[in-house]
Amino acid sequence: MQLRRNSRRLSFNPGQLSPKRTELALTLEFARVRALPVFLLSLATLPASAAAAPKTHTVILGGTRRVSYTQPDATPEAQMDLTTTIKVRSLIIDGRQRDWTTGNIHEITDRTFAVRRALRVNDALATDTSPRWIWQPGPWITVDRLTGHITALHLPDFDPLVSDAVWFRDYAAYCGTSTTAKGGSLYVIVAQLGVRRPVVQKRIGPWPQAGHASPVCAPAQWNRLPLRVTIQPTGGESTTYDVVGTSSIIEEGDNDDSN
């Protein structure tokens, strides 16, 4: 026995409804038809950032290894001493090496840290037939873990061969140098990220100094409350400075008005 299923098409017939139900049904149908183009237009104008998930970045510091370190102003005898070394490690972002670093990192925020670059400098003369690569501690950089962005820091009067920055929050304290046609100076410097002028700048002596000690200053010592820093030149007296300022950290996306 073959069963035949009868199907009938359901259609909207206002004449089958009461006047009140007919008016309600027509209103709902009209609203549905008007809302459809608006919905389609909203999909067409949706920003690409909303359609695609944000890319995640992987930031890794590689293993530490020792390399020979030679100061450019060292004597020939010192340059022959290969026992002077520094520890370097690679900065890897998204599986690709982006730089070399040295020393410990400083966590500025939960997504941004500061670290010092390690430079490979070509020390060859014009008469040399091949490059002569030497390692040196370089300037500081910041790395944003969220965006994978690297920013070079231009700390005021920072001398890579003299300065030893000690960080607290977004402040860096160190002894810096400045050289002019009338002579140079050795300064105590407290720099703040995002601020051009030093928060603290105090001259403590001339520069260069014949036979200066290395390092020229002991590492700075920070105090949280009240916010102070103490720096002592090698062979001199320590001095404490009050630091007055507010946080000026701006990370990528902080000024996004869409949030």
Side-chain angles (χ1 to χ4, degrees), residues 101-116:
T101 68
T102 183
N104 298 324
I105 68 172
H106 168 67
E107 301 283 357
I108 301 174
T109 68
D110 58 350
R111 60 180 266 190
T112 302
F113 67 88
V115 67
R116 195 171 181 183

Side-chain angles (χ1 to χ4, degrees), residues 166-173 190-192 199 222 227 243-246:
V166 178
W167 290 84
F168 176 67
R169 297 177 184 167
D170 57 335
Y171 296 95
V190 177
Q192 185 180 18
V199 178
W222 282 97
L227 184 55
V243 178
V244 179
T246 57

Side-chain angles (χ1 to χ4, degrees), residues 219-235:
Q221 297 180 354
W222 282 97
N223 184 74
R224 184 179 294 108
L225 291 174
L227 184 55
R228 292 175 177 171
V229 63
T230 301
I231 297 183
Q232 180 178 7
T234 302

Side-chain angles (χ1 to χ4, degrees), residues 58-73:
T58 303
V59 179
I60 300 174
L61 289 174
T64 301
R65 66 187 183 98
R66 290 185 175 273
V67 296
S68 300
Y69 164 53
T70 304
Q71 292 187 0
D73 58 350

